Amino acid sequence: MAERRYRVFVYGTLLMGEDNHPIAAPYVRDVRPGKVKGRLYNVGLYPALVLGEEGEVEGEWLTVTEEGLKAMDELEDYGEGRDDNEYERVWVRDVCQPLEGYVYVYRPEKAVGLPLIPSGSWRRRKENM
């Protein structure tokens, strides 16, 4: 039976070289750079993406196995259909290329008052702050 794979856009601590990438790394089958429409906010130790706003957020498209998606769900404390998720897992498309997949997004009302990351890049978050 073929291995089931999922594409997930990551933009913070799951990026290659960042603190939580080792959680996904054993399950990653492909990595591609990407961008999605939205704004990036600084929660402190991690970022929050809010879709549907002006701006672009830089990240990576990880193609992961089913086990990888489960590990990422656990990291994000995401449970399908739960009302108390800090992040929701939704479908998104890349701004510049024909890629689409899941992304973990923050609820817009929870981002009120959080500092914006103007660059749209977690790796470059200290610029302009």
Side-chain angles (χ1 to χ4, degrees):
M1 190 162 115
E3 180 178 72
R4 190 140 192 216
R5 296 181 180 187
Y6 300 86
R7 188 171 286 134
V8 182
F9 182 79
V10 299
Y11 52 86
T13 64
L14 284 165
L15 291 164
M16 288 192 325
E18 294 292 335
D19 291 346
N20 286 322
H21 184 73
I23 291 168
Y27 311 107
V28 173
R29 300 298 181 256
D30 186 50
V31 180
R32 295 175 188 217
K35 288 184 180 179
V36 298
K37 281 276 187 205
R39 288 190 170 205
L40 201 59
Y41 295 90
N42 193 335
V43 182
L45 297 176
Y46 54 92
L49 169 63
V50 175
L51 295 176
E53 297 186 30
E54 292 181 19
E56 292 181 353
V57 173
E58 294 177 10
E60 295 168 344
W61 288 100
L62 304 182
T63 302
V64 299
T65 64
E66 189 166 1
E67 293 82 8
L69 186 63
K70 288 177 184 175
M72 293 165 81
D73 282 350
E74 189 174 313
L75 172 69
E76 303 296 355
D77 194 25
Y78 169 78
E80 194 166 341
R82 262 186 20 209
D83 290 335
D84 64 341
N85 289 325
E86 182 174 17
Y87 288 86
E88 291 298 325
R89 181 164 39 92
V90 300
W91 199 256
V92 69
R93 292 186 177 168
D94 193 274
V95 173
C96 303
Q97 54 193 330
L99 292 175
E100 57 185 80
Y102 291 117
V103 66
Y104 296 92
V105 296
Y106 217 57
R107 295 179 186 200
E109 66 274 12
K110 291 183 77 172
V112 173
L114 290 175
L116 178 67
I117 299 174
S119 66
S121 169
W122 180 245
R123 288 188 173 128
R124 294 185 290 121
R125 65 189 171 275
K126 293 180 180 147
E127 294 176 8
N128 305 318
M129 292 193 83

